[in-house]
Amino acid sequence: MDSTPRGRAIIIVTQSELANEAEQFKSIFTQLLFETEVYSLITCDEIQIKLTQLANTNEYNGNAFIMMFIGNGYNENIIGYREPNDTQWPPENHNLLPISDIVATFAWTRAPVLRDKIKVFIFNCDRLRYGSWCNLVGGPIGYVTHFGQTFSHTIAQYSSYKSLIEMFVMTLNRMEDELTERRLWQLPEINMFETTKDF
């Protein structure tokens, strides 16, 4: 990933208290030479429309694509923006978007301009609704997620000579070490997937 720009980074945040974390990652990805956009407080329908537009573009500068989601999840789905008074759990189906559908939007046959590009999907979700995923930390940024805090620190330390995948693995190891010292129930569920050209 040595071209300028490296590619595009899209950050979707569906919880207002995590908007500052999304802006922090926008700054980080921009410094890593990605054209970066943040989409805040949008519903699943709006997310799907935006991602489909991105997948169907005819022109793409760079050789990598990053899509980062920051918000709640449920049962292998992301949850779009909900009004603060919407407390139904589990959420209604119209506000759930399967993670597999998002990844499939950028599959070999659906996003031809991205066929030979590196694609990274980060789903930074709280699947337990009110787990330990978000912690209020001191400082100007306010609410951050465990993953967001650890990943941003890893990027700051190692981005000059580690690949993005190496930094993900280092982040996951750091999180596991840190959270194991607390309670085991706080450990996040982390999955890494590799897709083939036939996906």
Side-chain angles (χ1 to χ4, degrees), residues 95-182:
N95 211 18
L96 296 173
L97 181 59
I99 290 172
S100 59
D101 287 1
I102 293 171
V103 175
T105 300
F106 296 93
W108 178 259
T109 56
R110 293 188 187 176
V113 75
L114 293 173
R115 281 185 182 160
D116 299 321
K117 313 293 183 195
I118 297 166
K119 295 181 276 289
V120 177
F121 300 91
I122 306 165
F123 297 96
N124 186 7
C125 300
D126 177 11
R127 294 182 48 181
L128 301 175
R129 189 177 183 203
Y130 299 116
S132 62
W133 175 71
C134 293
N135 277 348
L136 183 61
V137 296
I141 193 168
Y143 278 103
V144 296
T145 63
H146 284 301
F147 175 82
Q149 184 178 31
T150 308
F151 188 45
S152 64
H153 290 171
T154 303
I155 289 173
Q157 289 178 303
Y158 300 103
S159 63
S160 62
Y161 62 95
K162 297 280 186 185
S163 73
L164 203 52
I165 298 301
E166 287 174 312
M167 286 188 286
F168 279 127
V169 172
M170 292 173 71
T171 298
L172 303 181
N173 290 338
R174 281 178 152 187
M175 286 179 65
E176 186 174 354
D177 290 345
E178 176 188 332
L179 294 177
T180 300
E181 294 173 6
R182 299 178 187 178

Side-chain angles (χ1 to χ4, degrees), residues 36-53:
T36 308
E37 300 166 60
V38 174
Y39 299 97
S40 298
L41 310 181
I42 59 178
T43 65
C44 281
D45 287 341
E46 293 168 323
I47 292 169
Q48 188 63 64
I49 289 167
K50 187 60 189 166
L51 295 179
T52 300
Q53 289 172 345

